[in-house]
């Protein structure tokens, strides 16, 4: 942008000079303006400006009636009565300053006599950092340099190149801001050690200056073109243990440097090779990974410069069979006296373990007593459910498969995870750590501590009723740890059922707790759907608060009642929250008195607004009836 501005400034100077020449032809008929010592001066110099009228061009023959005025641009700086005016001017700034001489006559407008433009600048500084380059063996020699400070004057640059056998090339640049010239000649490798010398000279009307000579050889200045036609070939379609990178180069290239990285990485792996002749073997690539490859070239071990990097080649390495083993967990659910449901869950392998696209999972279920494989299943999901007998010893094995093979199977014995009470962790707590994480802590089992091989912390969103479709999450912890931070699939204002299992070789014990990462008071209270009379007391039934309105883990329900039309404070009964509970008896109501009842729910953050109101009148031991008044829904 600055370069463009300077070009515009130079154009403005030329336009101004042309206008002044035209003005001199058109407007200098009445007199002349002279400048001494010159109209181009060095910064800080003093100039003398004279304005004189030609014969019979004044206001009258009497000189005292001729008032000559000197303007600097549009500002008056001097005047004199007579046929001439002289002024000494100092402190002119860099650039162009316009002076105009005018004649003022009585009772008439000022008449322009003549004008002069004074250019203030400096002599050119010595050009610095002259360097030359030839791009490619067939390219041309071009040189660049630093001009130094702006001269503010028209400056001409001459670039000269001298070579063997007294050969000389010369190129001129009449651009005021020139710092680049291309000779248009090509240096050839016939005499690679022959010396060439370049020099640039700057000249303007205040002086001249030349750069220091820059001496170089063909090998010093020829920068190869970037390699092209890059491609990669894997020696075996089923393995990335050996692959070859191919490319094309200019004929004189001796050195190459290669860099490559996974496309999602910022760090490059670098390799330098000599006399590669357009190929190099790579041995450490990861399978099923997209890589980026670039290559640069150089003509000599010590001389010259590296080419620009080539265009990027992107290629994905082939798959290999998975490594590692799946992390498998399970749940048991009794169906009846003879059957149980087993639900298996497993986590995806990491990218480095999968080493390809996982196509399916293989699940094998075996009854150990008979040693017979009962079920083999292939699924594309990360869970599998089946029904088996409650008798016998069962084991499962799960492996992952891609196009090249299967991972090693993960084998687990199906046991009652909570059967061993002596193995149950105790003092389990769940505390909010952040908006999306919960810190779970526990104490080891009081007995059989040495039998614990690992802990498993399991959590899933609390969902009254059928929770078979709710995602299950878990993590494993070594036996010396008594805490775990859970964050996977944790959302604020959501209650989670958390279990901590202590597992030995063939049995397990567990403890559970409810927890949330953030909570507030529930958005609504329970909805009473029925009140029935049973032997002098009543049984209140309600619908659970929708999960999305609970806003965390519920701690208590409260049942309120008072006599209808009474202004007294209501009585209440507080019930600890249990997931499956939806009814509770009250036996403190008086017969034949109409009561109004409602409910609320509480989290650790506070109490909800009340739910709907129901009226009820206890009739006596032999009668049961619901209140006749309709429900009244009261909003907070």
């Amino acid at each position: 942008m600055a370069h463009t501005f300077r070009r515009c400034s130079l154009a403005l100077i030329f336009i101004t000079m042309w206008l002044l020449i035209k003005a001199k032809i058109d407007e200098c008929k009445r007199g002349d303006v002279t400048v001494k010592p010159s109209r181009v001066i060095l910064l800080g110099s003093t100039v003398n400006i004279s304005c004189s009228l030609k014969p019979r061009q004044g206001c009258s023959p009497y000189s005292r009636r001729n008032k000559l005025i000197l303007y600097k641009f549009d500002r008056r700086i001097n005047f004199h009565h007579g046929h001439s005016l002289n002024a000494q001017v100092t402190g002119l700034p860099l650039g162009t300053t316009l002076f105009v001489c005018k004649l003022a006559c009585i009772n008439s407008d000022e008449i322009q006599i003549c004008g002069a433009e004074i250019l203030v600048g400096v002599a050119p500084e010595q050009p610095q950092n002259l360097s030359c380059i030839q791009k490619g063996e067939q390219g041309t020699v071009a040189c660049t340099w630093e001009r130094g400070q702006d001269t503010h004057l028209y400056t001409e640059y001459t670039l000269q190149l001298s070579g063997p056998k007294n050969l000389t090339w010369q190129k001129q640049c009449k651009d005021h801001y020139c710092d680049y010239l291309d000779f248009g000649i090509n240096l050839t490798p016939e005499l690679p050690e022959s010396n060439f010398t370049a020099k640039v000279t700057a000249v303007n009307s205040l002086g001249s200056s030349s750069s220091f000579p820059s001496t170089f050889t063909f090998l010093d200045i020829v920068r190869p073109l970037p390699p092209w036609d890059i491609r990669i070939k894997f020696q075996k379609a089923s393995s990335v243990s050996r692959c070859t990178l191919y490319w094309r180069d200019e004929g004189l290239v001796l050195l190459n440097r290669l860099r490559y990285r996974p496309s999602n990485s910022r760090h490059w792996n670098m390799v330098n090779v000599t006399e590669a002749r357009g190929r190099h073997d790579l041995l450490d690539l990861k399978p099923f990974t997209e890589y980026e490859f670039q290559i640069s070239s150089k003509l000599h071990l010590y001389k010259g410069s590296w080419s620009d990097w080539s265009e990027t080649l992107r290629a994905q390495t082939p798959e290999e069979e998975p490594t590692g083993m799946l992390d498998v967990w399970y749940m048991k659910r009794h169906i009846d006296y003879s059957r149980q449901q087993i639900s298996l869950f497993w986590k995806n392998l990491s990218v480095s373990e999968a080493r390809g696209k996982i196509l399916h999972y293989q699940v094998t279920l075996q009854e150990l007593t008979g040693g017979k494989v009962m079920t083999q299943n292939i699924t594309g999901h990360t869970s599998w459910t089946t029904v088996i007998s409650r008798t016998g010893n069962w084991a499962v094995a799960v492996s992952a498969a891609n196009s090249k093979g299967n991972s090693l199977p993960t084998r687990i014995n199906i046991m009652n995870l909570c059967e061993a009470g002596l193995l149950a962790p105790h003092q389990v707590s769940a505390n909010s750590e952040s908006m999306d994480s919960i810190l779970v802590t526990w104490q080891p089992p009081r007995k059989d501590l040495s039998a614990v091989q690992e802990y498993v912390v399991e959590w899933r969103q609390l969902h009254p009723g059928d929770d078979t479709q709710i995602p299950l999450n878990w993590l494993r912890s070594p036996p010396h740890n008594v805490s775990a931070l859970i964050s996977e699939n944790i959302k604020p204002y959501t209650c989670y059922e958390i279990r901590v299992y202590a597992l030995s070789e063939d049995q397990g014990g567990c403890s559970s707790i409810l927890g949330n990462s953030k909570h507030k008071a529930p958005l609504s209270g329970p909805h009473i759907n029925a009140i029935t009379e049973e032997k002098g007391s009543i049984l209140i039934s309600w619908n659970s608060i929708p999960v999305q309105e609970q806003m965390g883990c519920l701690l208590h329900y409260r049942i309120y009642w008072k006599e209808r039309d009474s202004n007294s404070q209501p009585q209440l009964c507080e019930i600890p929250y249990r997931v499956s509970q939806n009814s509770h008896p009250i036996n403190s109501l008086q017969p034949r008195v109409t009561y109004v009842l409602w409910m609320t729910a509480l989290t650790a953050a506070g109490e909800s607004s009340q739910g709907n109101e129901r009226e009820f009148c206890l009739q006596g031991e032999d009668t049961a009836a619901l209140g006749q008044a309709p429900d009244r829904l009261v909003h907070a």
Side-chain angles (χ1 to χ4, degrees):
M1 177 125 183
H3 190 69
T4 302
F5 177 75
R6 294 191 186 104
R7 287 178 179 270
C8 292
S9 300
L10 183 61
L12 182 60
I13 292 173
F14 291 145
I15 292 171
T16 304
M17 292 178 67
W18 178 80
L19 289 174
L20 279 174
I21 294 170
K22 184 176 185 299
K24 185 169 183 66
I25 296 172
D26 296 340
E27 303 295 337
C28 293
K29 296 177 180 179
R30 292 178 174 270
D32 294 299
V33 171
T34 59
V35 178
K36 293 182 179 180
S38 170
R39 294 195 180 201
V40 180
I41 61 172
L42 185 67
L43 179 65
S45 299
T46 299
V47 293
N48 293 306
I49 302 174
S50 300
C51 176
S52 60
L53 291 172
K54 292 180 180 179
R56 296 186 298 276
Q57 295 298 322
C59 299
S60 71
Y62 303 100
S63 63
R64 66 178 179 275
R65 295 185 180 181
N66 298 322
K67 182 179 180 181
L68 294 174
I69 306 170
L70 184 64
Y71 286 87
K72 179 182 177 182
F73 291 116
D74 57 354
R75 184 171 63 88
R76 181 182 298 189
I77 62 170
N78 206 338
F79 69 92
H80 181 73
H81 292 277
H83 285 89
S84 63
L85 176 150
N86 294 298
Q88 188 178 73
V89 179
T90 61
L92 291 178
L94 288 168
T96 304
T97 304
L98 180 63
F99 293 89
V100 177
C101 180
K102 294 184 179 181
L103 173 65
C105 298
I106 299 173
N107 298 325
S108 66
D109 295 335
E110 293 179 353
I111 303 170
Q112 182 167 310
I113 302 301
C114 198
E117 182 184 60
I118 298 178
L119 304 180
V120 180
V122 294
E125 291 184 340
Q126 182 185 40
Q128 301 288 327
N129 298 325
L130 173 64
S131 64
C132 301
I133 190 172
Q134 177 176 305
K135 291 186 177 181
E137 297 173 17
Q138 304 302 318
T140 56
V141 178
C143 301
T144 60
W145 60 89
E146 295 176 6
R147 297 186 313 271
Q149 70 169 331
D150 192 355
T151 65
H152 295 271
L153 299 174
Y154 173 78
T155 303
E156 184 175 273
Y157 292 86
T158 301
L159 181 65
Q160 182 175 314
L161 179 65
S162 302
K165 301 179 182 179
N166 295 322
L167 291 174
T168 301
W169 298 268
Q170 187 169 293
K171 205 71 177 287
Q172 284 188 330
C173 177
K174 298 184 178 180
D175 184 343
H176 183 57
Y177 299 102
C178 180
D179 56 8
Y180 169 87
L181 275 173
D182 190 328
F183 280 110
I185 62 169
N186 169 255
L187 299 187
T188 59
E190 281 77 13
L191 298 173
E193 300 298 329
S194 296
N195 287 327
F196 296 84
T197 301
K199 183 176 70 172
V200 63
T201 301
V203 179
N204 66 17
S205 56
L206 297 179
S208 64
S209 183
S210 296
S211 68
F212 290 117
S214 174
T215 301
F216 48 81
T217 67
F218 170 85
L219 292 174
D220 290 325
I221 72 162
V222 175
R223 175 184 293 177
L225 295 176
W228 67 94
D229 193 19
I230 305 171
R231 57 201 185 281
I232 191 168
K233 180 179 180 181
F234 299 97
Q235 303 302 322
K236 295 181 181 179
S238 61
S239 174
V240 295
S241 59
R242 182 182 179 88
C243 69
T244 304
L245 197 64
Y246 296 92
W247 66 92
R248 294 178 64 188
D249 250 329
E250 292 191 290
L252 297 178
V253 167
L254 179 66
L255 295 174
N256 290 104
R257 56 182 180 178
L258 288 66
R259 65 181 186 180
Y260 58 97
R261 65 182 178 185
S263 295
N264 59 359
S265 173
R266 300 179 63 182
H267 172 71
W268 290 99
N269 299 291
M270 300 287 294
V271 178
N272 291 322
V273 292
T274 306
E275 296 184 344
R277 304 302 183 206
R279 61 169 291 164
H280 182 71
D281 293 334
L282 296 173
L283 305 176
D284 59 346
L285 301 186
K286 299 175 183 178
F288 199 60
T289 302
E290 184 181 68
Y291 277 88
E292 297 177 347
F293 303 88
Q294 287 185 321
I295 310 173
S296 179
S297 303
K298 197 166 179 277
L299 298 185
H300 194 272
L301 285 172
Y302 313 111
K303 295 183 178 183
S305 58
W306 288 99
S307 74
D308 294 332
W309 288 104
S310 67
E311 292 186 1
T312 301
L313 169 68
R314 289 180 175 86
Q316 182 168 283
T317 55
E319 294 188 3
E320 289 190 0
E321 66 180 17
T323 61
M325 299 172 68
L326 292 167
D327 183 357
V328 182
W329 189 235
Y330 65 97
M331 290 179 58
K332 292 176 60 175
R333 186 190 303 274
H334 293 310
I335 298 177
D336 52 35
Y337 70 92
S338 63
R339 297 179 303 157
Q340 61 182 339
Q341 177 181 286
I342 304 297
S343 296
L344 297 172
F345 307 90
W346 53 88
K347 298 181 180 180
N348 292 320
L349 294 174
S350 67
V351 173
S352 61
E353 292 174 326
R355 305 210 298 179
K357 181 181 179 181
I358 297 300
L359 302 176
H360 61 261
Y361 300 92
Q362 182 171 307
V363 182
T364 302
L365 178 66
Q366 183 178 20
E367 205 288 311
L368 295 177
T369 305
K372 181 180 179 182
V373 174
M374 301 296 294
T375 304
Q376 280 191 333
N377 187 273
I378 291 178
T379 177
H381 304 290
T382 55
S383 62
W384 183 71
T385 299
T386 190
V387 176
I388 60 175
S389 170
R390 290 182 60 179
T391 61
N393 296 321
W394 298 88
V396 294
V398 187
S399 61
N402 63 17
S403 64
K404 302 302 179 183
N406 287 55
S407 68
L408 292 174
T410 298
R411 305 181 187 276
I412 57 173
N413 294 325
I414 303 298
M415 59 184 177
N416 292 323
L417 294 172
C418 295
E419 186 176 45
L422 295 178
L423 275 178
H426 63 101
Q427 296 183 21
V428 178
S429 66
N431 298 296
S432 172
E433 192 73 6
S434 68
M435 285 283 287
D436 53 7
S437 63
I438 300 172
L439 180 64
V440 182
T441 61
W442 61 89
Q443 291 299 314
R446 292 183 174 88
K447 296 182 180 180
D448 291 342
L449 177 59
S450 61
V452 176
Q453 294 182 346
E454 69 171 342
Y455 294 104
V456 174
V457 181
E458 170 195 288
W459 66 99
R460 63 161 53 190
Q461 183 177 337
L462 185 64
H463 199 290
D466 182 17
D467 61 356
T468 57
Q469 303 302 315
I470 304 301
L472 184 69
N473 308 275
W474 72 95
L475 59 79
R476 300 179 184 274
S477 182
H480 58 269
N481 277 2
V482 290
S483 67
L485 185 68
I486 61 176
S487 58
E488 184 179 1
N489 297 324
I490 296 293
K491 297 180 292 187
Y493 309 114
T494 302
C495 188
Y496 295 90
E497 183 179 11
I498 302 168
R499 291 180 183 269
V500 181
Y501 299 88
L503 303 181
S504 67
E505 184 176 355
D506 57 358
Q507 59 182 349
C510 73
S511 297
S512 65
I513 193 172
L514 300 181
N516 48 238
S517 64
K518 191 171 181 62
H519 53 238
K520 58 185 178 182
L523 300 180
S524 63
H527 182 90
I528 300 174
N529 58 42
I531 303 176
T532 58
E533 182 176 344
E534 297 180 355
K535 298 181 180 180
S537 66
I538 64 171
L539 182 68
I540 300 177
S541 301
W542 61 85
N543 297 330
S544 297
I545 301 173
V547 172
Q548 66 273 16
E549 296 182 9
Q550 293 180 12
M551 308 311 291
C553 292
L554 299 182
L555 302 179
H556 303 282
Y557 287 130
R558 284 180 181 172
I559 302 174
Y560 291 87
W561 67 89
K562 69 173 183 177
E563 295 180 16
R564 185 177 61 185
D565 302 326
S566 170
N567 293 324
S568 61
Q569 290 294 318
Q571 300 181 63
L572 68 89
C573 172
E574 189 167 272
I575 312 162
Y577 173 77
R578 292 195 298 274
V579 174
S580 60
Q581 183 177 9
N582 62 358
S583 64
H584 187 77
I586 295 178
N587 54 18
S588 57
L589 272 61
Q590 298 298 319
R592 295 181 178 83
V593 176
T594 301
Y595 290 90
V596 179
L597 300 94
W598 66 90
M599 292 183 67
T600 63
L602 291 89
T603 65
E607 186 175 10
S608 72
S609 59
Q610 70 180 63
N612 66 312
E613 291 184 354
R614 292 291 293 258
E615 292 184 0
F616 188 82
C617 180
L618 187 64
Q619 299 300 316
E621 294 184 1
D622 300 328
T623 325
L626 290 176
Q628 301 302 311
D631 293 352
R632 291 181 290 164
L633 182 62
V634 179
H635 297 280

